[in-house]
Amino acid sequence: IDGNPVYEVDPRRLGPAEDRGGEIPETVAKYQELLRSGSQAPPIEGAWVNGKIHIVDGFHRAAAAQAEGKPARVFLANEQVL
């Protein structure tokens, strides 16, 4: 992530989180509380695949952002202009 941009992205644009499932509710809740407090979670790592940003690491953070209606902070491993 060092020196690379982090983007704010609508978490609904991220995939394939809906296909993965298996998020631990307690972990999602921890990230939701962090977002509610105004703090930032570490960025989600994503990669462009077939025109969509796929989550590489950060499924719980993405679920928390979506539940809170907040943008997800995403670092793209393979850069493409948003």
Side-chain angles (χ1 to χ4, degrees), residues 3-59:
N4 291 322
V6 174
Y7 300 97
E8 289 194 353
V9 177
D10 182 334
R12 295 172 297 182
R13 291 186 58 197
L14 302 174
E18 64 275 6
D19 299 332
R20 179 180 176 271
E23 283 81 18
I24 300 167
E26 295 82 6
T27 303
V28 174
K30 176 183 84 168
Y31 284 119
Q32 283 180 271
E33 183 58 36
L34 191 68
L35 292 172
R36 281 188 213 120
S37 74
S39 297
Q40 293 184 335
I44 296 163
E45 185 176 343
W48 281 103
V49 179
N50 296 325
K52 191 167 188 174
I53 302 171
H54 284 247
I55 300 170
V56 175
D57 180 53
F59 292 94

